[in-house]
Amino acid sequence: MPQGSTRLPLKETSQEANSVSPLSDETRKAIVSLRQVHKAYKNGFNALTDINLEIQSGDFLFVTGPSGSGKSTFLKLLYGEERATAGDVMVNGLNVGGLKGDRLAALRRRIGIVFQDYKLIPRRTVAENVAFVLWAQGYGRQEIQRRLPPALKMVGLQHKADSFPDELSGGEQQRASIARAIVSTPPLVLADEPTGNLDADNSWQVIKILKKLHAIGITVIVTTHDESLIRLSNHPVVQIRNGHLYRPQPK
């Protein structure tokens, strides 16, 4: 066991939960719940072992750990990109492992996902990249035009709406990807190493945007290995090391 850490299962106490959520106790419920989750690959590698975790609606949680520790696998289990070998992965009250086709697509529409490498469409403008999500979900032109400006304003890219990805800095590209993730107002945002390709200033801008989303009631889960950002942000942290989940002890 790593020094200064305690093995989980983790369930926030009421005192801890109140300190990280803008929601009242009456409206808080588990939005993510993992019960004895194990993930093994065909080559025999155990990515995650006996993971027990409950995240309440409105929480902001950092998931940290060294490269290859299982952080990305953890997030992929939440949106169904990977399936658990054993155990239950519950998101929004649904067992993700049992979802396929339209039911899995419906769940993913309720989750905003931010990737380290942005995944913007090169030949579409910022506005078109963000609007594409709404179009794919069946929103009409009027509703898309209503939702687009607030999403761009949230990330500070109103003036870049007509720019293409290759005309943006790395920080701007990541902010565009955040706008794309939140434009449909999902209750849950997953950010996988969102600052991994950014310098310190742009990294903090990204974290500030995620904190703003949290302040309006969105549940945010961020994987990162950047300990300085974690210290500045002052939100709960869990560690994944060698496939196991730990809660760091205060120093």
Side-chain angles (χ1 to χ4, degrees):
M1 183 179 300
Q3 185 176 4
S5 300
T6 301
R7 278 286 298 277
L8 300 172
L10 165 70
K11 184 174 181 180
E12 303 289 353
T13 66
S14 59
Q15 182 178 1
E16 291 168 329
N18 289 340
S19 69
V20 298
S21 173
L23 304 180
S24 67
D25 289 339
E26 290 75 13
T27 59
R28 287 172 57 79
K29 61 181 180 179
I31 192 170
V32 170
S33 180
L34 288 84
R35 303 166 187 165
Q36 297 181 315
V37 170
H38 181 76
K39 174 61 181 178
Y41 289 97
K42 292 181 179 179
N43 63 3
F45 174 67
N46 291 321
L48 296 171
T49 301
D50 193 27
I51 302 296
N52 292 277
L53 177 67
E54 188 166 294
I55 301 170
Q56 305 297 319
S57 177
D59 280 354
F60 190 125
L61 180 71
F62 279 108
V63 181
T64 188
S67 179
S69 62
K71 300 188 302 297
S72 293
T73 299
F74 169 80
L75 288 190
K76 288 178 179 179
L77 290 176
L78 301 186
Y79 61 89
E81 182 71 18
E82 299 276 3
R83 299 297 176 98
T85 306
D88 295 319
V89 178
M90 308 292 294
V91 177
N92 279 333
L94 300 173
N95 192 326
V96 180
L99 301 179
K100 297 180 180 178
D102 290 344
R103 294 185 68 202
L104 180 58
L107 174 68
R108 287 177 174 171
R109 285 195 291 270
R110 302 286 291 160
I111 302 173
I113 306 172
V114 181
F115 299 97
Q116 180 177 350
D117 56 355
Y118 320 137
K119 297 189 183 301
L120 299 173
I121 303 171
R123 295 185 179 181
R124 293 183 182 268
T125 65
V126 168
E128 290 168 341
N129 266 278
V130 176
F132 183 80
V133 174
L134 298 175
W135 175 82
Q137 294 181 9
Y139 286 90
R141 181 181 298 274
Q142 184 175 357
E143 183 63 12
I144 291 173
Q145 291 176 344
R146 186 185 73 83
R147 287 175 173 265
L148 188 57
L152 293 178
K153 183 178 180 180
M154 172 68 77
V155 301
L157 288 180
Q158 311 95 305
H159 62 299
K160 296 284 187 174
D162 296 324
S163 298
F164 290 92
D166 63 0
E167 298 173 326
L168 304 178
S169 69
E172 289 169 337
Q173 289 186 60
Q174 188 59 290
R175 284 188 277 144
S177 76
I178 295 174
R180 180 185 57 196
I182 65 171
V183 69
S184 61
T185 60
L188 174 63
V189 169
L190 309 176
D192 191 7
E193 294 280 3
T195 64
N197 294 328
L198 305 179
D199 60 26
D201 287 342
N202 280 304
S203 294
W204 183 236
Q205 284 191 49
V206 166
I207 294 300
K208 285 196 297 184
I209 293 168
L210 295 175
K211 287 169 74 70
K212 284 195 294 184
L213 297 174
H214 168 245
I216 62 175
I218 293 175
T219 307
V220 180
I221 305 174
V222 183
T223 65
T224 183
H225 60 268
D226 192 331
E227 298 290 343
S228 62
L229 280 180
I230 292 171
R231 288 193 297 271
L232 285 171
S233 300
N234 193 31
H235 288 294
V237 182
V238 296
Q239 294 176 340
I240 298 179
R241 293 181 181 274
N242 300 319
H244 293 278
L245 204 60
Y246 302 87
R247 179 199 290 281
Q249 292 298 301
K251 296 182 180 180

